[in-house]
């Protein structure tokens, strides 16, 4: 235990003197000594509880593709084979429910399916396997290379030997169709991929002077970095520094941060956060009323997802990286098939050359009268709507939950609620006004409805409209009561501009990232960390890379409080 | 694909012709007595109340419009009204989570973690409580089975506090889990089993090795994982080696996004899950099952196959009030659910068992954990089979549903005097 204390002290010193965070828009190391020393001001280092997490569907998807490369068909969607994730604090973490037999069986089945496709591509695992009878040396070499990447740490010799035993090419009984080499490869892959060392983000750490805190190993820190930024496994550069034990040093971590944030995989990490943040995962099963939307088709779903992903990547990695821009930018990158949903008032513009975007998409600037930021994009608007009509309550609740960090109860059981199609002379606004008359409804809906009503200018598909389906003129006046947005907001653009300028929204956003990073909702014990991240985020004017850099550079990022 | 599988695929895929069922493990597995089973069927969002109640008349029921599809079983079902979920009503939080997560446990959720089925149950559910009793000393491969249709993580059953048992929503996966090993040719089967055994042995050793190395707080997760791997392996070992006598249904049509199927695919998946459930019971692969028909949450499902374009969930909120249209639509959707129940009962009744049918040895409870407007009182409940007297209409106003579970347990020969939260436990239902 004592061996570790000097390292922590050195750390303090290093941190205070040398390392810092870049200013807005300038992702460089070393120009702000205040940026990263989360927790070092107080008497004790800030270590927070991090639950044991099983990799989420998205993380497993990216990890398997990174691990197995082109031995997997690039289009293979591992996500759809896996059971749903458990959430905590509104983000997938698989940390709350102990695995049931069904979950384990479902994971087994998914991995068997993934592995089953490999034999025809086994030469792509290692060129020496591309023969009818690979040598034992070849098999073992492949194992020795794959295992430390799969388990995100070096393996002691006895663990490798156990894998070598599985890699032995045994003669199979008569009547078995499978090739003996394929069977050996399958055994190794199943053993590696079904082991807890792969499926869980194990953080064993090393003891510190505080028995309730462990200091993560460099390899464990590498995984925290890669899953936060890429939703995938560490790459070779991280592994090399982890092998050297260098990742406890914040300077080294921040160098990796800059590199990783530039890497195309950062898009995957950012998209993973934003899809969860705006509750967009149901996009995959989105359906609309074809009578009202005759051009709706399921083929639009992936295009909607792509648009959101490209927009997020654009703002955070190619524009100024600020939350306010995410909530106010009018740039978007869409497939021509989606363009009609944005109406006529769009102007084609030159996209930034560095931005990757799916083939065939066009860069456009949307109407300043109609659109502002991510909340006015098709995907969030269509997901947070019913099949045939908009959903002001759902949209309002989304803003309160995800942008203002409020916990909302669902409607009480005994209250009749909901509205159906707007009727002539009775818009959804008028129907919602009934909430005001019943105190049981009013207590929550006075907060929710005015927010959602400001988004009434968008129909169930997210199209801008002046009239609802029944011909009632749209009245999109709203407000954000009980917040730092005072007074009325007139329409969706005003609402989103107000949200973009709200400090409350900024503060909430830092919490949302922390929930995602920790795999749980925050508790009062996390106050010091929350406060430091929030202050830093507010001071940077909502610069998301600065927020992430602060987290990555913090001591909390290298520690784990255990129970 | 072997010819037998192909024939069954035809049977299931093209209109689901009734197939003969032969028990997989004939009497030798359970001596001379025929095992008793429990099947709980849950449907979402309650009923159009004024079209639900039947009228009892001389040992049979005059059925209501919603219950009309159960005509063939009018003298064999009992409709119980008035049952209440006081535990759920007392808890504050997400109504859908609470209703689904407490109706079989009769204990408050231990944690309500967010809309959409994210919760931890507060105790063991009745099906799990009865499973060891119904299985007895027999080698039943599955202690219990949970199947769903777009149930999306809402767990009805629970092993114990904090251990929800979710349903398998994918019939192809369910089929593989229940019957996959039985359906392989024997040479291939031995090889597959050996491959799995070696991977699982390896995984178990890893879990054991890690146990001493991870912080204490991480161990329960790894223990549960180890237990799950162990159970899977024991089952594989226990699978009979001879080709089974019972008919194994085949489900191999590609189902797009089985975890979140399109609305229009829901009826087909529901029928497939029904078929798998009946087969698993008839083959004595399990004696305790739950079937979850539809998400308990607000998942946007529309009964498009009934030409209903509004969402089930919204309609259920609006029905039973002044909105006559919504009420009518909810009644139609309820009627469809009862058609599916009638189909299920019919399939159980087509399997010969002793001097009766499988239905005679299976207590079927079909209920919704919500009633009018998402209320957790006066729950709609239909019970059938299992040797219970039918043709009855029972009203037990404001009686906790735990009384139903205790009564059914007693009927199944399990001596229980109460179930769930003792503060809300009211013993048994008289004259069940």
């Amino acid at each position: 235990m004592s061996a570790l204390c000097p390292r922590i002290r050195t750390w303090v010193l290093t941190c205070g003197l040398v390392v810092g965070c870049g200013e807005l828009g300038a992702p460089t190391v070393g120009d702000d000594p205040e940026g990263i020393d989360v927790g070092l001001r107080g008497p004790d280092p800030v270590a927070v509880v991090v639950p044991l997490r099983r990799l989420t569907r998205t993380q497993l998807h990216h990890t398997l593709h990174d691990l197995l490369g082109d031995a997997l068909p690039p289009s293979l969607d591992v996500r759809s084979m896996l059971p749903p994730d458990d959430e905590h604090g509104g983000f997938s973490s698989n940390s709350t429910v102990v695995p049931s037999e069904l979950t384990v069986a479902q994971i087994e089945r998914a991995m068997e399916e993934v592995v089953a496709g490999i034999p025809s591509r086994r030469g792509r695992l290692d060129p020496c396997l591309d023969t009818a009878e690979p040598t034992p040396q070849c098999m073992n070499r492949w194992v020795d290379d794959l295992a430390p990447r799969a388990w995100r740490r070096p393996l002691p010799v006895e663990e490798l030997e156990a894998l070598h035993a599985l890699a032995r090419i045994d003669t199979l009984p008569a009547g078995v169709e499978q090739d003996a080499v394929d069977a050996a490869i399958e055994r190794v892959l199943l053993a590696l991929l079904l082991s807890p060392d792969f499926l869980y983000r194990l953080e064993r750490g090393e003891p510190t002077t505080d028995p309730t805190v462990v200091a993560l190993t460099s390899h464990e820190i590498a995984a925290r970095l890669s899953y936060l930024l890429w939703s995938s496994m560490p790459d070779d550069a991280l592994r090399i520094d982890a092998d050297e034990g260098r990742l406890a040093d914040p300077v080294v971590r921040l160098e990796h941060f800059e590199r990783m944030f530039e890497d195309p995989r950062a898009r995957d990490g950012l998209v993973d956060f934003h899809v969860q943040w705006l509750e967009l995962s149901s996009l995959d099963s989105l359906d609309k009323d074809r009578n009202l939307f005759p051009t709706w088709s399921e083929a639009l779903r992936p295009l909607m997802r792509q648009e959101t992903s490209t927009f997020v990547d654009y703002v955070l990695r190619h524009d100024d990286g600020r939350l306010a821009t995410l909530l106010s930018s009018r740039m978007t990158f869409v497939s021509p098939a989606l363009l009609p949903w944005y109406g006529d008032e769009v102007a084609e513009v030159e996209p930034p050359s560095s931005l990757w975007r799916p083939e065939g998409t066009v860069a456009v600037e949307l109407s300043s009268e109609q659109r502002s930021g991510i909340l006015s994009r098709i995907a969030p608007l269509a997901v947070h709507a019913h099949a045939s009509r908009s959903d002001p309550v759902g949209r309002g609740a989304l803003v309160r939950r995800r942008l203002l960090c409020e916990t909302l109860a669902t409607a009480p059981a005994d209250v009749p609620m909901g509205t159906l199609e707007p009727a002539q002379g009775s818009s959804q606004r008028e129907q919602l006004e009934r909430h005001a008359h019943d105190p049981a409804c009013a207590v929550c809906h006075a907060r929710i409805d005015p927010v959602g009503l400001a988004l009434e200018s968008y129909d169930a598909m997210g199209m801008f409209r002046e009239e609802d389906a029944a011909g009632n003129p749209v009245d999109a006046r709203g407000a954000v009561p009980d917040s730092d947005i005072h007074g009325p907001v007139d329409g969706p653009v005003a609402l989103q501009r107000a949200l973009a300028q709200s400090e409350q929204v900024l503060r909430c956003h830092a919490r949302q990232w922390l929930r995602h990073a920790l795999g749980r909702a925050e508790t009062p014990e996390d106050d010091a960390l929350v406060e430091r991240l929030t202050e830093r985020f507010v001071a940077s004017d909502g610069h998301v890379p600065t927020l992430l850099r602060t987290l990555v550079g913090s001591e909390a990022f290298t520690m784990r409080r255990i129970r | 694909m072997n010819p037998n599988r192909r024939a069954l695929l035809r049977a299931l895929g093209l209109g689901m012709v009734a197939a003969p069922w032969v028990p997989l493990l004939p009497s030798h597995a359970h001596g001379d007595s025929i095992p008793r089973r429990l099947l709980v069927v849950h449907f979402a969002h309650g009923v159009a109340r004024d079209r639900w109640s039947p009228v009892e008349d001389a040992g049979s029921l005059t059925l209501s419009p919603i219950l009309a599809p159960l005509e063939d079983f009018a003298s064999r079902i009992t409709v119980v009204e008035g049952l209440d979920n006081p535990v759920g009503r007392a808890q504050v939080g997400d109504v859908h989570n609470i209703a689904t997560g407490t109706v079989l446990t009769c204990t408050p959720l231990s944690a309500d973690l967010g809309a959409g089925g994210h919760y931890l149950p507060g105790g063991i559910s009745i099906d799990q409580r009865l499973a060891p009793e119904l299985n007895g000393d027999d080698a039943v491969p599955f202690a219990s089975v949970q199947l769903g249709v777009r149930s999306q993580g809402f767990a009805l059953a629970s092993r114990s506090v904090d251990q929800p048992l979710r349903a398998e929503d994918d019939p192809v996966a369910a089929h593989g889990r229940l019957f996959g090993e039985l359906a392989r040719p024997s040479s291939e089967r031995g090889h597959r089993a050996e491959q799995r055994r070696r991977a699982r042995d390896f995984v178990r050793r890893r879990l054991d090795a890690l146990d001493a190395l991870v912080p204490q707080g991480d161990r329960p997760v790894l223990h549960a994982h180890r237990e799950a791997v162990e159970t899977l392996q024991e089952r594989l070992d226990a699978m009979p080696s001879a080709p089974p006598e019972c008919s194994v249904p085949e489900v191999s049509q590609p189902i797009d996004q089985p975890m979140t199927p399109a609305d229009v695919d829901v009826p087909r998946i529901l029928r497939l899950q029904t078929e798998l459930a009946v087969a698993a019971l008839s083959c004595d692969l399990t004696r305790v099952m739950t079937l979850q028909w539809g998400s308990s949450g607000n998942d946007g499902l529309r009964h498009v196959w009934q030409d209903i374009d509004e969402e089930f969930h919204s309609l259920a909120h609006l029905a039973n009030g002044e909105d006559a249209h919504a009420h009518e639509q909810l009644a139609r959707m309820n009627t469809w659910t009862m058609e599916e129940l009638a189909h299920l009962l019919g399939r159980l009744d087509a399997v010969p068992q002793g001097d009766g049918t499988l239905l005679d040895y299976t207590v079927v409870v079909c209920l919704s954990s919500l009633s009018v407007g998402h209320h957790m009182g006066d729950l709609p409940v239909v019970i059938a089979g299992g040797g219970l007297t039918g043709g009855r209409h029972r009203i037990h106003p404001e009686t906790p549903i735990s009384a139903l579970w205790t009564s059914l347990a007693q009927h199944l020969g399990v001596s229980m005097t109460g179930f769930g939260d003792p503060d809300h436990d009211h013993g048994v239902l008289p004259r069940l």
Side-chain angles (χ1 to χ4, degrees), chain A residues 202-250:
Chain A
L202 295 172
E203 294 185 333
R204 287 149 56 178
E206 290 160 1
T208 65
T209 48
D210 180 344
T212 68
V213 173
V214 293
L216 300 192
T217 67
S218 260
H219 285 281
E220 290 162 354
I221 297 171
R224 276 201 184 172
L225 264 165
S226 69
Y227 284 105
L228 176 65
L229 299 177
W230 292 346
S231 292
S232 189
M233 58 183 270
D235 67 349
D236 287 344
L238 272 171
R239 286 204 305 130
I240 288 165
D241 273 349
D243 281 341
E244 306 277 319
R246 298 184 66 214
L247 292 174
D249 180 346

Side-chain angles (χ1 to χ4, degrees), chain A residues 128-461:
Chain A
C128 76
L129 295 172
D130 205 4
T131 160
E133 288 175 45
T135 61
Q137 289 78 11
C138 163
M139 293 294 283
N140 290 351
R141 190 186 75 192
W142 167 64
V143 168
D144 295 348
D145 175 68
L146 182 68
R149 295 198 300 123
W151 287 2
R152 306 180 286 274
R153 62 171 173 83
L155 276 70
V157 88
E158 59 275 14
E159 289 177 8
L160 286 173
E161 280 168 356
L163 288 161
H164 292 165
L166 292 176
R168 241 190 337 256
I169 301 167
D170 299 335
T171 312
L172 300 179
V176 173
E177 278 180 31
Q178 196 179 26
D179 172 72
V181 179
D182 290 338
I185 291 173
E186 179 185 78
R187 279 195 299 274
V188 170
L189 286 172
L190 288 180
L192 280 173
L193 302 181
L194 294 174
S195 280
D197 310 76
F198 174 76
L199 290 175
Y200 292 90
R201 292 178 59 187
L202 295 172
E203 294 185 333
R204 287 149 56 178
E206 290 160 1
T208 65
T209 48
D210 180 344
T212 68
V213 173
V214 293
L216 300 192
T217 67
S218 260
H219 285 281
E220 290 162 354
I221 297 171
R224 276 201 184 172
L225 264 165
S226 69
Y227 284 105
L228 176 65
L229 299 177
W230 292 346
S231 292
S232 189
M233 58 183 270
D235 67 349
D236 287 344
L238 272 171
R239 286 204 305 130
I240 288 165
D241 273 349
D243 281 341
E244 306 277 319
R246 298 184 66 214
L247 292 174
D249 180 346
V251 182
V252 177
R253 284 206 301 285
L254 291 180
E255 282 167 7
H256 279 289
F257 173 85
E258 307 308 340
R259 177 184 70 82
M260 294 172 74
F261 200 72
E262 293 288 309
D263 188 284
R265 277 170 281 190
R267 187 182 198 267
D268 297 333
L270 290 171
V271 169
D272 190 14
F273 169 83
H274 287 84
V275 165
Q276 297 184 60
W277 174 50
L278 294 178
E279 302 175 9
L280 297 178
S281 56
S282 61
L283 185 54
D284 293 335
S285 55
L286 185 71
D287 205 6
K288 292 293 166 189
D289 186 335
R290 281 157 219 257
N291 297 322
L292 281 173
F293 302 103
T295 55
W296 160 255
S297 96
E298 284 152 23
L300 296 178
R301 292 176 190 154
L303 304 179
M304 293 161 73
R305 188 185 265 279
Q306 276 170 9
E307 188 206 355
T308 315
S309 304
T310 314
F311 177 68
V312 164
D313 190 38
Y314 163 72
V315 171
L316 295 180
R317 299 202 312 133
H318 300 83
D319 198 352
D320 66 8
R322 292 172 57 229
L323 176 63
T325 307
L326 195 70
L327 294 172
S328 62
S329 170
R330 289 183 285 114
M331 283 289 286
T332 201
F333 309 89
V334 289
S335 151
L338 278 187
L339 213 43
W341 303 104
Y342 282 115
D344 299 331
E345 294 173 50
V346 296
E348 198 161 334
V349 294
E350 194 63 37
S353 59
S354 56
L355 178 71
W356 180 87
R357 57 204 168 91
E359 219 167 297
T361 51
V362 288
V364 295
E365 191 167 45
L366 303 173
S367 157
S368 60
E369 307 288 303
Q370 299 181 357
R371 307 279 167 173
S372 169
I374 194 164
L375 292 178
S376 62
R377 295 302 188 271
I378 298 288
L381 289 169
V383 165
H384 298 286
H386 300 283
S388 58
R389 61 195 166 89
S390 66
D391 181 7
V393 175
R395 289 172 179 173
L398 177 80
V399 169
R400 300 236 63 130
R401 263 196 316 270
R402 295 299 186 155
L403 277 82
L404 296 165
C405 287
E406 291 179 8
T407 311
L408 300 169
T410 52
D414 316 27
V415 180
M417 65 171 200
T419 51
L420 277 187
E421 306 309 321
Q424 203 172 7
S426 172
S427 64
Q428 293 217 67
R429 170 182 290 272
E430 279 150 329
Q431 298 181 23
L432 287 181
E433 274 164 9
R434 289 191 307 198
H435 284 144
H437 304 310
D438 185 336
C441 304
V443 63
C444 286
H445 282 274
R447 303 164 80 86
I448 298 170
D449 297 354
V451 182
L453 285 169
L455 294 166
E456 270 293 87
S457 302
Y458 306 116
D459 70 9
M461 260 309 289

Side-chain angles (χ1 to χ4, degrees), chain A residues 48 85 87 92 114 126 152 155 251 285 438 459 481-482 513:
Chain A
V48 296
D85 293 322
E87 288 182 11
S92 299
V114 166
D126 189 316
R152 306 180 286 274
L155 276 70
V251 182
S285 55
D438 185 336
D459 70 9
D482 296 319
W513 267 105

Side-chain angles (χ1 to χ4, degrees), chain A residues 48-50 203-204 210-214 560-563, chain B residues 215-218:
Chain A
V48 296
V49 172
V50 177
E203 294 185 333
R204 287 149 56 178
D210 180 344
T212 68
V213 173
V214 293
R560 182 179 183 213
R561 188 170 292 284
I562 55 173
R563 281 160 291 184
Chain B
Q216 193 116 35
D218 295 348

